[in-house]
Structures are given as structure tokens and as C-alpha cells.
Amino acid sequence: QLDFAIDKYEIILVDDGSPDNSIAIAKEIAKQFPSHHIKFISRENGGLSAARNTGLKHVEGKYVWFIDSDDWIKNDALTLLNEKLEENAVNFDILTFTHQTAFSDGVFSKEIVQKDYQSNGFDFLEKNNFLSACVCLYNFQFLKENSLVFREGILWEDSEFNLRAYALSKQHYFFGKPLYFYLRRDNSITTQGTSHKMINSWFVKLDSVFKFFENKNINTRESSIINKQQATSVIAIVAGLNDLNKKDKIFFRKKITNNKNYYYQFFAK
């Protein structure tokens, strides 16, 4: 039983051109909860980023939580989040929490509880490189004022989005309890072999983040934090090259060689 009034939240379900019967099933389930605020939005398939950006256009609440279709949240997650917001009396830009991984064989990762703390976004980025949007509660006004939307057409869009979001966040709160359950499927993006699109997405992310911060007034420490995150992307690219076919391997190695000074800068102290 949830200790959270149904008039305090809305559910936005985005049907991103699903080829199966998902939206029909969702609507049937919704009939069992006629008092809940549920919006159904259908669009042509455009990928996860496009679906999230579409959902953002229909938000009416103060905070936004992105939940992927095959994952789920803790039963009392909304109650716990609401309590944190009320007890701190601060309009946080981002409230980050933790997650547990659920594997296909039914095994769960260990539940780890950490200490809560308040900081700015750069302080959080300095200690963390898990940048999933699913473990964040975003202040909707903060997203609107900073024109924060997801980069479409790439994989790993969460980390590209959150590097920008955290860097802009002056009021951040870390809630050290797992509220989100992430399903790790055998055929998911994170378990599949490296592809051309994966490597290209890392390159797009590198360039997008670099251009975003190029003209930003950030100090040496903040620049070092971003470069460390960027260096992680470069390492991911290099590590994945051997899994590619010969043509792609040559193409991306040439790209790195021709721009090596650009990529070297992310490793500078």
C-alpha cells in the first residue's frame, strides 16, 4: 500500500511506435485505476531519447522521473522521495538515488545503502561515473530553464545528458538508497557485442560534451572533472575497437589518429 496521494503524481506513458501490443495492455491495466492521472502518448519510433523528449512536452508536475519500459521502481519510492524533498525544504535541481540490478535468471545485485549528502553537480560528478537518467529525479523547471533535452539518434544518451545537467546543477542531493530496479537482459545494449553505432555514439557524445563546455565559464577543477569523464569515453572507444569488423576498425582508428591531440587533452591533468 502506497502512502502517497494519487493526486500528487502523474504517469506519462509514451508509445514509441511499439510493434507489439504494449500500449493496448497498458490501457487495459489503466482502466483498473480510473482515479489516477495517466497520459497516453503515441509517436513514430524514434528511440529512447525521442520518447523521453516527447514525454517532457506533456509534463505538468514539478519533478520528472524517467523510467524505462522493462524496469521498475520500489513500491514506496515516491513516498521516500517526497519525504526527502519536504524534509530538506530545498528546490533541488537533481535528486540522485541508487539502484539494484535484476538479472535474467532472477538474481539481484546486493542492496547497498550509502550516506545521504547535499552538494552541487560537479561535486557529484567528481565521485561518480554512473550517469543513468533513471536514477535521477529532475526539477522540471530546471530542465526547461536550461533547455535540457536528450540527444537523439545515439546510444549512451544518458551520460551525455547528465554531464550537462549535473554541471548546471547548483542544488543536488544524493539519496543513498536503491529505489530503481534495472533489468539486465541477455540481449540488451549493454550485453551485446560492440557495434558501429555504439562506437560512433561515443564519438558523438565526446564532441557534443566538448562543444557544450567549450564556451562555459568553468574553473580548472571543473574542467578536470569533465575531462576525466571524457577520458572514460575515449577508453571505451579504444576497448571496443577489436570487436568491430575490419572495415569499421580501420575507419575508427584513422579517426582517432587524425585527431589524437584532441583526444589526448582529456587525459591531461
Side-chain angles (χ1 to χ4, degrees):
Q1 182 68 32
L2 294 179
D3 183 24
F4 194 74
I6 60 175
D7 62 350
K8 287 189 175 182
Y9 65 93
E10 64 179 352
I11 299 172
I12 302 174
L13 294 175
V14 180
D15 172 26
D16 187 43
S18 175
D20 59 23
N21 206 31
S22 298
I23 194 67
I25 294 173
K27 287 181 177 180
E28 280 299 313
I29 294 175
K31 290 179 181 178
Q32 303 173 32
F33 305 93
S35 299
H36 286 64
H37 301 280
I38 305 176
K39 298 177 183 177
F40 292 93
I41 302 161
S42 295
R43 52 156 294 137
E44 294 182 1
N45 180 261
L48 180 58
S49 291
R52 288 173 174 172
N53 290 338
T54 297
L56 282 172
K57 296 176 182 178
H58 298 268
V59 170
E60 295 181 24
K62 184 176 180 180
Y63 289 93
V64 182
W65 187 358
F66 300 101
I67 301 171
D68 288 350
S69 59
D70 50 358
D71 300 335
W72 66 97
I73 66 176
K74 194 172 182 180
N75 285 345
D76 59 350
L78 297 183
T79 299
L80 293 172
L81 288 171
N82 188 57
E83 288 175 352
K84 282 296 171 185
L85 293 173
E86 290 185 344
E87 73 182 37
N88 285 280
V90 175
N91 289 322
F92 294 117
D93 302 320
I94 307 173
L95 191 156
T96 307
F97 35 92
T98 63
H99 74 287
Q100 281 183 265
T101 301
F103 298 93
S104 300
D105 59 3
V107 175
F108 286 76
S109 63
K110 184 178 179 180
E111 180 178 354
I112 300 175
V113 177
Q114 302 177 47
K115 185 178 180 180
D116 295 6
Y117 62 87
Q118 189 173 340
S119 66
N120 63 42
F122 272 111
D123 289 338
F124 180 79
L125 282 175
E126 189 172 27
K127 302 173 184 177
N128 298 273
N129 56 15
F130 181 76
L131 301 179
S132 170
C134 295
V135 294
C136 298
L137 190 70
Y138 299 95
N139 187 309
F140 183 53
Q141 191 62 32
F142 166 72
L143 297 183
K144 284 204 306 182
E145 289 176 354
N146 291 287
S147 301
L148 286 167
V149 293
F150 290 87
R151 180 72 181 251
E152 299 184 17
I154 65 170
L155 304 174
W156 327 119
E157 64 285 322
D158 285 24
S159 57
E160 192 277 340
F161 175 85
N162 263 338
L163 278 176
R164 293 182 283 123
Y166 280 122
L168 294 169
S169 174
K170 304 302 181 185
Q171 294 286 351
H172 171 262
Y173 191 87
F174 176 74
F175 182 26
K177 289 186 178 181
L179 304 181
Y180 191 86
F181 293 95
Y182 164 64
L183 178 61
R184 185 178 175 88
R185 294 177 286 108
D186 293 336
N187 61 343
S188 68
I189 292 174
T190 54
T191 56
Q192 292 177 1
T194 306
S195 67
H196 180 100
K197 185 173 183 179
M198 287 180 181
I199 296 296
N200 190 64
S201 292
W202 283 116
F203 277 111
V204 172
K205 175 195 163 186
L206 280 169
D207 293 342
S208 178
V209 171
F210 177 80
K211 289 176 182 177
F212 178 79
F213 287 101
E214 191 173 19
N215 297 314
K216 291 287 186 296
N217 184 25
I218 60 176
N219 59 40
T220 302
R221 171 180 172 265
E222 293 167 344
S223 178
S224 177
I225 291 171
I226 296 302
N227 282 344
K228 182 179 178 181
Q229 294 283 350
Q230 291 282 74
T232 301
S233 297
V234 176
I235 292 171
I237 290 172
V238 174
L241 289 180
N242 285 336
D243 294 334
L244 299 176
N245 61 49
K246 185 176 180 180
K247 181 180 178 182
D248 286 341
K249 193 183 300 184
I250 293 173
F251 173 79
F252 286 121
R253 279 181 174 169
K254 185 176 181 180
K255 182 178 178 70
I256 293 173
T257 301
N258 291 343
N259 300 279
K260 60 183 180 182
N261 290 332
Y262 169 59
Y263 300 117
Y264 281 161
Q265 70 179 310
F266 301 132
F267 294 88
K269 292 185 178 181

